[in-house]
Amino acid sequence: MAGHDKRKMTAPDLPAELKAALAAKLQGFSRSDAAARSASISRTYRDGGGSAAIRSETDALAYALARMPATYAAVTASLNALCEIAPGFAPKTLLDVGAGPGTASWAAAEAFSSLQGFALLDANAALRALALDLAAGSARLGKIDYRQGEARALLADAAAADLVAASYMIGEIGDAERRTLVDLMWAKTRDTLLIVEPGTPAGYGRIIAAREQLIASGAHVAAPCPHDGKCPLQPPDWCHFTQRLPRSRAHKQIKEADVPFEDEKFSYVALTRSPIARHPARVLAQPVVSKIEVTAKLCTAEGLAIAKIPHRAKADYARARRWRWGDAVMAED
Ligand SMILES: C[S@@+](CC[C@H](N)C(=O)[O-])C[C@H]1O[C@@H](n2cnc3c(N)ncnc32)[C@H](O)[C@@H]1O
């Protein structure tokens, strides 16, 4: 990200401790079993199904191998964007809603050394068991409090947390229940609520609905939007970002992929209780760089803009050449 208030960005690949825990779990499992289960779980997801298909230990591990690196990378990219806008944010407690294998908790632990208390909740027993196994040897996550049950019921009794996260979760419940869930999550948010979804028009639709719902309840947007107003994008356009992440050998095998990386598309919103001091513009697509100019699609506090930075404006052009999709950029960037 182009930046000011530089703070360390968290890398998009899984932390070594988590990779090692996953590798240890994989020993004793047949790769071809995991690959077959992973293919079937991915198919279920593509067909609009959810994680209810994950029932056994092998299913949970197959899900984690197939999807955890990508959802981790998407949460990390979202947290990096949040940290850039709110560099002083140092949450002590996290509530990870629909935590699955603990993806968002691992990402938040990497992003915030301040985090001490990790509360997780999820309905899926197999994913919870895997999360506990993966976290067991971790210095930071060894003592997570992971409750199993329906999110809305558990949220009613959950303690409020500085940071509440729902990663790739809100799409698994119906529209009416989602509104209640979003209100409940906000009620438990002391400072910031982060919602991450797949970067599809449907995922974006859910993000934008939650965003509008909570702005009406007094929330402010920290990222990605530089304003609390209506989203200026018109269908078929939708706001999403992409994060490249390395593919492990096991992941290449499971996905039968050739390239050593994958690009995860995601949509997200980080909502805060206090108004945001700075409103840098957000780069909404990979800028086009030519010898004549840099053309960038920006979301600004005033709305959508196609910025053209001519080569003759040497310093500005040099800066704009470095802009990447997803970056927060100021005029002086
Ligand atoms: C796609 S997984 C995402 C897991 C994890 N957050 C991640 O990013 O990798 C969705 C998770 O939400 C959980 N979930 C869906 N609906 C739920 C509900 N109503 N109550 C509790 N958990 C739910 C599922 O069990 C599953 O673990």
Side-chain angles (χ1 to χ4, degrees):
M1 297 207 177
H4 21 93
D5 289 318
K6 285 262 188 219
R7 157 179 175 152
K8 183 178 78 69
M9 292 284 164
T10 307
D13 46 338
L14 298 182
E17 205 178 29
L18 176 54
K19 274 191 214 152
L22 274 168
K25 284 292 303 175
L26 197 59
Q27 283 186 351
F29 276 93
S30 132
R31 284 269 160 99
S32 54
D33 261 15
R37 285 306 298 149
S38 152
S40 128
I41 288 164
S42 301
R43 218 167 23 247
T44 311
Y45 269 99
R46 266 200 307 279
D47 297 345
S51 41
I54 300 165
R55 292 198 195 90
S56 67
E57 200 181 352
T58 318
D59 292 346
L61 188 59
Y63 170 82
L65 288 171
R67 289 297 296 148
M68 204 176 181
T71 58
Y72 178 92
V75 176
T76 297
S78 310
L79 290 174
N80 279 336
L82 166 66
C83 289
E84 196 184 20
I85 299 296
F89 182 43
K92 286 206 170 65
T93 50
L94 170 75
L95 177 56
D96 183 355
V97 181
T103 322
S105 296
W106 281 91
E110 283 294 305
F112 299 109
S113 56
S114 54
L115 272 177
Q116 292 161 6
F118 297 84
L120 294 78
L121 55 93
D122 201 292
N124 190 301
L127 286 169
R128 175 180 180 273
L130 175 63
L132 291 173
D133 269 1
L134 293 176
S138 157
R140 301 283 307 285
L141 291 160
K143 291 197 189 71
I144 56 177
D145 171 5
Y146 198 140
R147 308 268 158 109
Q148 190 199 334
E150 208 287 318
R152 283 163 299 155
L154 289 182
L155 270 168
D157 288 333
D162 299 334
L163 174 62
V164 178
S167 153
Y168 289 76
M169 187 271 174
I170 65 167
E172 295 208 357
I173 62 175
D175 291 347
E177 292 88 352
R178 194 178 312 126
R179 278 194 72 82
T180 313
L181 175 80
V182 165
D183 276 339
L184 277 168
M185 291 196 297
W186 184 241
K188 297 298 173 174
T189 302
R190 270 205 219 103
D191 192 301
T192 301
L193 169 64
L194 173 70
I195 308 178
V196 186
E197 281 290 283
T200 57
Y204 159 74
R206 291 187 287 270
I207 293 284
I208 221 66
R211 176 186 184 276
E212 277 178 20
Q213 178 183 337
L214 293 183
I215 287 172
S217 301
H220 302 277
V221 185
C225 328
H227 57 82
D228 292 344
K230 202 171 153 41
C231 176
L233 293 183
Q234 295 291 332
D237 201 358
W238 76 99
C239 181
H240 65 294
F241 303 94
T242 180
Q243 178 63 55
R244 177 157 291 188
L245 61 135
R247 262 191 217 275
S248 67
R249 196 141 41 88
H251 194 260
K252 266 166 68 181
Q253 252 173 333
I254 277 180
K255 292 275 185 134
E256 293 176 358
D258 301 326
V259 288
F261 61 82
E262 64 177 311
D263 291 318
E264 175 69 7
K265 289 194 168 61
F266 64 100
S267 293
Y268 73 99
V269 67
L271 295 149
T272 62
R273 293 234 167 243
S274 341
I276 298 299
R278 289 183 314 109
H279 290 290
R282 183 75 51 187
V283 181
L284 289 190
Q286 189 52 38
V288 178
V289 179
S290 78
K291 287 192 175 125
I292 301 165
E293 62 194 8
V294 175
T295 308
K297 180 181 173 189
L298 302 178
C299 190
T300 75
E302 289 75 41
L304 208 55
I306 302 295
K308 288 187 183 295
I309 301 95
H311 187 258
R312 70 185 132 70
K314 289 238 173 320
D316 292 346
Y317 177 86
R319 269 194 295 272
R321 270 181 74 97
R322 294 197 296 271
W323 290 355
R324 295 286 172 267
W325 186 0
D327 281 357
V329 297
M330 289 289 215
E332 75 275 14
D333 277 336

